[in-house]
Amino acid sequence: MKVYNTLTRTKEELVPLTPGQLRMYVCGVTVYDLSHIGHARSAIVFDVIRRYLLFKGYRVTVVKNFTDVDDRIIRRANADGVAAREIAERYIAEYQADMASLGVRPADVEPKATEHIPQMIALIERLVAGGFAYVVDGDVYFEVRSFPGYGKLSGKNLDELLAGARVEVDERKRDPRDFALWKSAKPGEPSWASPWGPGRPGWHIECSAMSMQYLGESFDLHGGGEDLIFPHHECEIAQSEAATRKPFVKVWVHNGFVNLGAAKMSKSLGNTLTIKEFAKRHDPQAIRLWLLGTHYRNPVEFAEDRMRETARALERLQRLRVDARMFGIEPDSRSARETVDPWRAFRDRFEAAMDDDFNTPQALGVIFELAHALYDRRDAASREPQARAEFGGGVQEMVSLANVLGVLEQAPEMHVVSAGGTVPAPTDSVRVWVFPEMESTLRDRIGRLLEERHEARARKDFARADALRAEIQALGFLVEDIPNGVRLAPKSGPRS
């Protein structure tokens, strides 16, 4: 398995510091507002990396933080007339709900900055004692010139940084490039006691302290968006390695931006699309497919037509899973797993793609090639027991590989049509695929229409059957007749 390391700017073989075990830290969000689709991309990228490492047999520990004290949180709290902690807890809960909707699994540890102030103070004390940091009027700054390796992650030149617009001007600093480790208390802001007086931590020190608390002074992989390379991750390296005299992180992994038109999506530009808004308009599974359809290091361009294409692609995968169940095969059953061998080549190609720097576009290509092959076998599977078993094994393999990417994890619901609505399906009845999010009143209405259509077809009144199909389509669903009944699927495109 090879992974692109931002630090060395090359693909490297992934060799854990401890055999069989991988420790990973991912920079989380600053919780002052709703999360946007750019946050979703980063979360999904590292969720998939974690899933694949587990799939390959590694023991994986993931730590993902919440920055819950920050200038923006304080401004929001003052504007709303509430405590900063209330703002932080509100948007932590919103973020966790967004991640659950996208199928992103929680990290093993999700530390909050405010619960790790003692660890940050201890780390700052080490830096001051080692001559890497200095105190000015209750503030503590890291002296960039004291760490010769500063700039090795981002490739920034120290001299060029002097003239950079992002350098904060403070005449009390020894050098304009020095960054804050501890900020002295100001009126109306939360603060904590420290050897330098009351105050709060700087942003960069948080991740160093929390990652080392749970993963050790050196660990395998550190992830985040490419906007964090400088200054955040550059400063993390400097303060961590200055304190410990050890390499901080072996492999740095960064995902690209999500763009709206030609501009990067960001709250500062006012062009964000929140996860909540996006998930109302599009199936969260389709959102995952769309984001994973571009390599994680490349930018993603948002377009509605691309989302419509992705929704249709997702439907093709879902239909195969439903077909397997309609043929009496549960894709995760023992009989299905025993027939995987004919499909083994697809798994090998999937792994080859993912082993090459987590190449999800190629991995998805393999899954859709497998789906194409399964569609070719579907008709035979409806007639022949051996073909049916092989088809079931292929669907199981498709589901298994898709699950590595966090797709097809939820089995579709199936119901029978009856005069009174829909009930759990016996094997000898007409079957209808109903999406879980369909309201029961709509399901019952469509069920009655399908029952009437079934009766019209039985008496060969095809004009009436076609009219009923059109009525169901007007409600937003497609009707497809298949060997053992009827398949119902939502029409492609954005949700109304």
Side-chain angles (χ1 to χ4, degrees):
M1 188 188 304
K2 290 190 175 182
V3 182
Y4 184 85
N5 188 352
T6 307
L7 184 64
T8 62
R9 295 163 183 77
T10 60
K11 287 183 187 178
E12 301 176 358
E13 186 178 353
L14 187 62
V15 180
L17 294 170
T18 302
Q21 179 179 349
L22 279 159
R23 291 166 291 157
M24 178 166 65
Y25 186 88
V26 180
C27 278
V29 292
T30 301
V31 283
Y32 69 98
D33 204 347
L34 294 174
S35 297
H36 57 67
I37 200 67
H39 296 132
R41 187 189 192 189
S42 185
I44 288 170
V45 163
F46 292 102
D47 180 61
V48 168
I49 289 174
R50 175 199 200 178
R51 287 168 180 265
Y52 187 64
L53 294 173
L54 289 167
F55 173 80
K56 295 288 281 188
Y58 290 103
R59 300 188 307 278
V60 183
T61 303
V62 177
V63 178
K64 186 176 183 179
N65 72 297
F66 288 111
T67 295
D68 62 342
V69 58
D70 174 87
D71 290 341
R72 292 163 293 183
I73 296 172
I74 294 167
R75 285 196 295 268
R76 184 68 178 263
N78 291 339
D80 290 3
V82 299
R85 181 180 180 84
E86 182 177 332
I87 293 294
E89 291 299 325
R90 177 193 307 171
Y91 289 110
I92 286 173
E94 293 282 8
Y95 178 83
Q96 290 171 332
D98 287 342
M99 293 301 104
S101 75
L102 295 172
V104 174
R105 297 172 179 173
D108 297 298
V109 185
E110 295 187 333
K112 301 173 185 175
T114 57
E115 296 175 354
H116 295 78
I117 302 295
Q119 290 89 339
M120 297 175 203
I121 290 173
L123 183 55
I124 295 169
E125 286 182 308
R126 290 173 70 178
L127 292 168
V128 172
F132 295 98
Y134 56 94
V135 183
V136 182
D137 302 328
D139 294 326
V140 185
Y141 293 99
F142 184 89
E143 187 169 9
V144 166
R145 284 197 179 275
S146 69
F147 185 73
Y150 193 85
K152 62 183 179 181
L153 180 69
S154 62
K156 299 282 186 182
N157 181 288
L158 283 181
D159 294 328
E160 291 174 356
L161 286 176
L162 273 175
R166 296 179 70 178
V167 175
E168 182 181 328
V169 177
D170 187 336
E171 294 181 354
R172 299 173 307 150
K173 293 182 182 181
R174 295 177 183 174
D175 188 303
R177 296 160 295 192
D178 295 348
F179 58 88
L181 299 172
W182 186 262
K183 300 179 180 181
S184 57
K186 296 180 179 62
E189 294 186 356
S191 63
W192 290 263
S194 81
W196 318 286
R200 59 187 174 92
W203 176 34
H204 309 308
I205 200 67
E206 296 175 10
C207 289
S208 289
M210 289 187 284
S211 63
M212 289 194 283
Q213 169 73 15
Y214 296 103
L215 301 175
E217 294 182 344
S218 297
F219 54 93
D220 299 285
L221 192 150
H222 195 314
E226 67 176 78
D227 55 322
L228 299 179
I229 295 173
F230 186 86
H232 186 49
H233 289 165
E234 194 72 76
C235 295
E236 273 192 68
I237 291 173
Q239 64 201 12
S240 301
E241 296 187 358
T244 67
R245 311 298 207 274
K246 299 175 183 177
F248 179 42
V249 174
K250 189 171 183 181
V251 178
W252 288 85
V253 177
H254 294 93
N255 66 272
F257 296 126
V258 176
N259 295 331
L260 288 177
K264 175 188 76 127
M265 187 182 296
S266 72
K267 289 177 181 173
S268 62
L269 295 175
N271 65 346
T272 58
L273 183 60
T274 67
I275 295 171
K276 278 188 170 39
E277 292 169 352
F278 207 46
K280 287 177 183 176
R281 292 161 48 191
H282 300 285
D283 186 329
Q285 292 276 290
I287 295 173
R288 280 188 84 106
L289 275 185
W290 164 58
L291 290 171
L292 296 174
T294 299
H295 192 275
Y296 77 87
R297 287 193 285 117
N298 296 330
V300 174
E301 197 81 25
F302 172 73
E304 282 288 350
D305 58 349
R306 181 76 185 275
M307 283 304 309
R308 285 191 288 271
E309 291 171 7
T310 305
R312 286 192 291 269
L314 177 63
E315 286 173 21
R316 282 185 58 79
L317 301 182
Q318 291 280 30
R319 286 173 188 165
L320 287 167
R321 193 171 189 182
V322 171
D323 287 341
R325 296 185 70 190
M326 285 189 167
F327 296 153
I329 301 167
E330 288 295 336
D332 53 358
S333 69
R334 184 168 177 266
S335 60
R337 286 199 299 271
E338 288 174 349
T339 61
V340 164
D341 284 350
W343 311 102
R344 179 71 204 191
F346 289 97
R347 175 172 292 229
D348 292 341
R349 290 173 54 211
F350 175 90
E351 291 191 36
M354 292 295 288
D355 283 347
D356 183 13
D357 195 26
F358 309 110
N359 194 326
T360 55
Q362 286 189 12
L364 281 171
V366 173
I367 290 174
F368 282 105
E369 284 185 40
L370 172 56
H372 182 78
L374 288 167
Y375 272 107
D376 287 344
R377 307 281 183 91
R378 187 176 62 174
D379 288 344
S382 68
R383 301 186 302 269
E384 304 165 16
Q386 180 57 38
R388 187 175 303 122
E390 188 174 301
F391 177 81
V395 173
Q396 167 62 25
E397 188 70 352
M398 181 193 73
V399 170
S400 176
L401 298 180
N403 285 177
V404 176
L405 305 181
V407 180
L408 303 185
E409 289 194 300
Q410 188 173 22
E413 291 184 6
M414 293 175 63
H415 302 267
V416 297
V417 177
S418 66
T422 55
V423 295
T427 57
D428 59 350
S429 298
V430 176
R431 297 168 183 198
V432 181
W433 176 20
V434 182
F435 268 13
E437 65 265 27
M438 184 186 290
E439 294 180 0
S440 60
T441 53
L442 178 60
R443 185 172 66 237
D444 290 345
R445 180 181 176 185
I446 292 176
R448 287 191 292 273
L449 292 171
L450 283 168
E451 172 66 16
E452 187 178 346
R453 179 176 178 271
H454 177 70
E455 292 173 354
R457 284 167 59 85
R459 62 176 183 268
K460 301 189 184 303
D461 185 354
F462 298 114
R464 179 59 181 159
D466 289 344
L468 290 163
R469 177 198 290 268
E471 190 172 344
I472 295 168
Q473 287 180 341
L475 295 173
F477 292 85
L478 300 174
V479 177
E480 181 183 359
D481 296 298
I482 57 176
N484 281 357
V486 174
R487 174 168 47 228
L488 187 69
K491 295 171 74 172
S492 301
R495 297 174 176 176
S496 58

